[in-house]
Amino acid sequence: MKLPSATSAITIELTAVLVALTADEPQVLTLEDGALLPSGPFESDHPTLQTGLRAWVEQQTHHPLGYVEQLYTFADRNRAAEGGHGLDQRRVVSISYLGLTRERLSRGPRDPEWRNWYRYFPWEDWRAGTAPLVAREILPRLRKWSDASGDSALKRDRRQRIEINFGDGKKQWNEDLVLQRYELLYEAGLVPEAATGRHQVDAPLFGMMMRHDHRRILATGIARLRTKIKYRPVVFELMPEAFTLLQLQRAVEALAGRPLHKQNFRRLIDQQGLVEETGAISAHTAGRPAKLYRFSRQVVLERAFGGTKLPLSRS
Amino acid sequence: MKLPSATSAITIELTAVLVALTADEPQVLTLEDGALLPSGPFESDHPTLQTGLRAWVEQQTHHPLGYVEQLYTFADRNRAAEGGHGLDQRRVVSISYLGLTRERLSRGPRDPEWRNWYRYFPWEDWRAGTAPLVAREILPRLRKWSDASGDSALKRDRRQRIEINFGDGKKQWNEDLVLQRYELLYEAGLVPEAATGRHQVDAPLFGMMMRHDHRRILATGIARLRTKIKYRPVVFELMPEAFTLLQLQRAVEALAGRPLHKQNFRRLIDQQGLVEETGAISAHTAGRPAKLYRFSRQVVLERAFGGTKLPLSRS
DNA sequence: CACCTATATACTCAACTAGAGTATTAATTA
DNA sequence: TAATTAATACTCTAGTTGAGTATATAGGTG
């Protein structure tokens, strides 16, 4: 180990939000009992940041990386520094990435472990209708928080943010605001920024915590993916080679956290010509067997518009 | 000057795409005769990257920074390194930002200088209808380039990219694809990655060049801004305190590079309740005087949906 | 076998949106 | 006064979106 030079050295850290789908559930790859996202230093012998990230996620998790997209870069003093090295002058610049893959780690329950992302953000899952957590637990506390602010301008501002983010009143729920909702809950004191020890990772009511700011990075990744599926056909990065249209719908629903209208979803899919029949038919457990489809690559390598909008459903 | 230690040191460089509007034209702040964007190192005594950027843009350009948004981070070997220090092992991580401001530098023509961004990307201005440069100069060359590729799969792929990005055939023009178009022109050899000397900055036909990868960063900034105005009311960051609706329309047109339908633009604006009358009326040069409006801040501090979509017009 | 269940698939419908166009009004300037 | 420039008020039509109804096709169960 070498000591950093007298002038404060800068370290680059790469963090990955690695997403896969298993049994219609969105999974994210974690380390150390779900407390960390895979991350590590950028070695300067790599030609680009992405190759650095790939090399290293694969080495650490034995997991091939498919689609990769950059999320955000920050170097805030008070965010990364939490480990307790009070006098350490090293400056950390943290660059985060979103990665999609169809692979699944076939290991024991130990370290690199896939976790359902709704365990970290239980209020984000509206597939079964209004998440009861929001109405019963979150909204009352947020209202108390906004009412407790003395300044009346501040109070109105808080009320407005609550309404926009959590759909107070009869407003819509916007599934894209994952990060804003997390930040609002943090400001309101319902959710801590980071788990400080190994033992504080579980927080049943408002979701699992993570160390450092990894939970915030995860929120950023989910938000990015949810906006992306609306204009780029990225879902296919997460699907197996052949799939039924219902499977595809369940996949989009899992990511968006909302139920979709089945018939309209199908209309949309074939309007856009994103898929083609394989000829085969699904061997199913129950009900009428469905045709199998595959992603028709030549049509959509870099489709400009349209992607996969969301045919929402009220229910 | 200190030599870097034996282990290769990493430098963080911050680059800003600073945008303003003057006389209905989009302007970007440049240095050294338009060859560079303002940029400089991140000093590790700054608490965050943004404060680093602000401090330093203001010190270098005497210009206050308003709205700021991060663009992209990269550390590619072959991109930043162009200066010729062949053996220099310093690794540069470059973080770019988009900044909006209504201020205008009141100086002589010397160094920090606002330039119309369409001087760098002349093919991006479609306000007066189809840009003749595209039909007459660019498309023929791109077609020659795609036809010259031997492989037929490659040929089809190139044709498809040309069609999507530049609207070959009768397809639509998508104003958001600024970066993809620039990259396509670069691949086709119509545009160089960087100006290598002071004298190669001018390239009348396909726009002015910049040194390093600053022109690519500028493209990224324009693209981001063009997508952003569709769902967030960021135009107002660029407007004076009071303005007429036509001025507002011209501003959006300048950014998007397309003509808008006047009546529909107005319909959209007041549907969304983004502005309110000031009571005053414009002192005009010609024609019927228009009411003056201001951005109604309390309504839209963090509006979730809707922003300002673009009521396009064919003509 | 009749019947039930679960899914696939085909259509229809109404409300809303987006792009376009026409007509009218209100000021300034030649 | 006429010409000009721009603001403002409506209407129209095609397409999109969320929703609902109806029918088809499989496996399983009494």
Side-chain angles (χ1 to χ4, degrees):
Chain A
M1 296 276 272
K2 292 180 181 174
L3 289 173
S5 62
T7 59
S8 61
I10 290 181
T11 314
I12 309 286
E13 185 166 78
L14 304 172
T15 306
V17 177
L18 247 184
V19 176
L21 278 169
T22 324
D24 299 335
E25 291 296 331
Q27 311 280 351
V28 60
L29 195 65
T30 63
L31 301 175
E32 303 205 11
D33 262 322
L36 287 176
L37 296 170
S39 75
F42 173 57
E43 314 284 354
S44 51
D45 54 325
H46 282 293
T48 71
L49 289 170
Q50 273 211 16
T51 47
L53 180 81
R54 280 174 191 280
W56 155 161
V57 166
E58 287 171 18
Q59 168 241 318
Q60 185 176 341
T61 68
H62 304 277
H63 201 81
L65 253 174
Y67 174 89
V68 169
E69 167 178 338
Q70 194 178 97
L71 288 173
Y72 205 72
T73 304
F74 65 87
D76 299 14
R77 266 259 156 70
N78 39 2
R79 278 179 66 184
E82 166 261 309
H85 321 269
L87 295 176
D88 196 344
Q89 272 300 324
R90 274 202 339 258
R91 194 58 188 278
V92 176
V93 172
S94 170
I95 311 177
S96 50
Y97 283 83
L98 168 68
L100 306 181
T101 174
R102 32 175 90 76
E103 299 299 308
R104 183 101 171 69
L105 208 62
S106 52
R107 294 280 213 77
R110 278 261 59 77
D111 224 17
E113 192 181 357
W114 292 100
R115 301 229 169 190
N116 190 318
W117 77 31
Y118 293 119
R119 294 179 65 183
Y120 298 94
F121 304 99
W123 57 86
E124 293 292 344
D125 188 0
W126 284 58
R127 284 174 293 177
T130 313
L133 182 66
V134 172
R136 267 182 233 155
E137 307 288 346
I138 292 180
L139 274 176
R141 287 170 213 230
L142 283 178
R143 288 205 197 92
K144 191 183 292 177
W145 170 70
S146 66
D147 291 344
S149 57
D151 187 4
S152 91
L154 178 63
K155 193 176 296 187
R156 201 186 48 209
D157 189 56
R158 285 183 175 176
R159 282 217 185 104
Q160 197 182 8
R161 288 176 63 204
I162 294 171
E163 193 178 317
I164 288 171
N165 286 301
F166 286 92
D168 206 355
K170 277 299 164 218
K171 280 283 173 59
Q172 316 289 344
W173 174 262
N174 182 343
E175 68 275 5
D176 294 346
L177 306 178
V178 184
L179 182 59
Q180 290 92 318
R181 275 189 285 267
Y182 178 69
E183 282 174 342
L184 190 59
L185 292 177
Y186 169 68
E187 274 184 64
L190 302 193
V191 147
E193 172 68 45
T196 45
R198 299 272 309 202
H199 306 298
Q200 298 186 17
V201 170
D202 294 300
L205 195 52
F206 298 123
M208 285 178 63
M209 297 194 265
M210 288 182 134
R211 269 182 272 153
H212 309 298
D213 57 348
H214 285 195
R215 196 174 173 197
R216 173 189 298 264
I217 293 175
L218 176 54
T220 310
I222 296 173
R224 181 71 64 85
L225 186 49
R226 282 184 170 182
T227 64
K228 199 105 192 181
I229 49 175
K230 277 162 208 153
Y231 62 97
R232 280 289 147 84
V234 283
V235 215
F236 297 99
E237 304 283 345
L238 301 164
M239 301 296 294
E241 192 50 40
F243 48 84
T244 71
L245 291 183
L246 186 60
Q247 279 178 290
L248 184 61
Q249 181 181 344
R250 295 279 177 254
V252 177
E253 287 174 335
L255 301 179
R258 323 191 55 171
L260 302 182
H261 185 111
K262 187 192 229 177
Q263 296 91 323
N264 293 344
F265 180 77
R266 281 148 196 266
R267 172 173 66 187
L268 209 66
I269 291 298
D270 74 36
Q271 268 176 10
Q272 313 207 155
L274 294 177
V275 298
E276 58 196 15
E277 299 182 15
T278 66
I281 278 187
S282 72
H284 227 21
T285 35
R288 172 176 168 178
K291 289 179 194 153
L292 285 175
Y293 293 83
R294 77 169 73 86
F295 184 34
S296 80
R297 297 198 174 271
Q298 73 270 42
V299 181
V300 213
L301 270 180
E302 262 307 317
R303 172 179 275 270
F305 342 105
T308 311
K309 281 174 193 155
L310 299 188
L312 294 176
S313 146
R314 269 194 211 129
S315 86
Chain B
M1 296 276 272
K2 293 182 182 175
L3 291 173
S5 62
T7 58
S8 61
I10 291 180
T11 314
I12 308 284
E13 184 165 79
L14 303 172
T15 307
V17 177
L18 246 185
V19 176
L21 278 169
T22 324
D24 298 335
E25 290 296 331
Q27 310 280 352
V28 61
L29 195 64
T30 62
L31 302 175
E32 303 207 10
D33 262 323
L36 287 176
L37 295 170
S39 75
F42 173 58
E43 314 284 356
S44 52
D45 54 326
H46 282 294
T48 71
L49 289 170
Q50 274 212 16
T51 47
L53 180 82
R54 279 174 192 279
W56 158 157
V57 166
E58 286 171 18
Q59 168 241 317
Q60 185 177 342
T61 68
H62 304 277
H63 200 82
L65 253 174
Y67 174 90
V68 169
E69 166 178 339
Q70 194 178 95
L71 288 174
Y72 205 72
T73 304
F74 63 88
D76 300 15
R77 267 257 157 72
N78 40 1
R79 278 179 67 184
E82 166 259 311
H85 321 268
L87 295 176
D88 195 344
Q89 273 298 327
R90 275 203 337 262
R91 195 58 187 280
V92 176
V93 171
S94 170
I95 310 177
S96 50
Y97 283 82
L98 169 68
L100 306 181
T101 174
R102 33 175 89 76
E103 299 297 310
R104 182 103 172 68
L105 209 61
S106 52
R107 295 278 214 77
R110 278 262 58 77
D111 222 17
E113 192 182 358
W114 292 100
R115 300 229 170 191
N116 189 317
W117 77 31
Y118 293 119
R119 294 179 66 183
Y120 298 94
F121 304 99
W123 56 86
E124 293 292 345
D125 189 0
W126 283 58
R127 283 175 292 177
T130 313
L133 181 66
V134 172
R136 269 182 231 154
E137 308 288 345
I138 292 180
L139 274 176
R141 289 170 212 230
L142 284 179
R143 288 205 197 91
K144 190 183 293 176
W145 169 70
S146 67
D147 291 343
S149 57
D151 187 4
S152 90
L154 178 63
K155 193 177 295 187
R156 202 187 47 207
D157 189 58
R158 285 183 175 176
R159 283 218 186 102
Q160 197 182 9
R161 288 177 62 205
I162 294 171
E163 193 179 317
I164 287 171
N165 286 300
F166 286 93
D168 206 356
K170 277 300 162 217
K171 281 283 175 59
Q172 317 289 343
W173 174 262
N174 182 342
E175 69 276 4
D176 294 346
L177 306 178
V178 184
L179 182 59
Q180 288 92 319
R181 276 189 284 267
Y182 178 69
E183 282 175 342
L184 190 59
L185 292 177
Y186 170 67
E187 274 184 62
L190 301 193
V191 147
E193 173 69 45
T196 45
R198 299 271 309 201
H199 305 301
Q200 296 186 18
V201 170
D202 293 300
L205 195 51
F206 299 123
M208 285 179 63
M209 297 195 266
M210 288 180 136
R211 271 182 272 154
H212 309 298
D213 57 348
H214 285 196
R215 197 173 171 197
R216 172 189 299 263
I217 293 175
L218 176 55
T220 310
I222 296 173
R224 180 71 63 86
L225 186 50
R226 282 184 170 182
T227 64
K228 198 105 191 181
I229 49 175
K230 277 162 207 152
Y231 62 97
R232 280 290 147 86
V234 282
V235 214
F236 296 99
E237 304 282 344
L238 300 164
M239 301 296 293
E241 192 50 40
F243 48 84
T244 70
L245 291 182
L246 186 61
Q247 279 178 289
L248 184 61
Q249 180 182 346
R250 295 279 177 255
V252 177
E253 287 174 334
L255 301 179
R258 322 191 58 172
L260 303 182
H261 186 111
K262 187 192 228 177
Q263 297 91 322
N264 293 344
F265 179 78
R266 281 150 195 263
R267 172 172 67 186
L268 211 65
I269 290 298
D270 74 35
Q271 267 176 10
Q272 312 206 155
L274 294 178
V275 299
E276 58 195 17
E277 300 183 15
T278 65
I281 279 188
S282 72
H284 228 22
T285 33
R288 171 176 169 179
K291 289 178 195 154
L292 284 175
Y293 293 82
R294 77 169 73 85
F295 183 34
S296 81
R297 297 199 174 271
Q298 73 270 40
V299 180
V300 214
L301 270 181
E302 263 306 318
R303 172 180 273 269
F305 342 104
T308 311
K309 280 175 193 154
L310 299 187
L312 294 176
S313 147
R314 269 193 211 129
S315 84

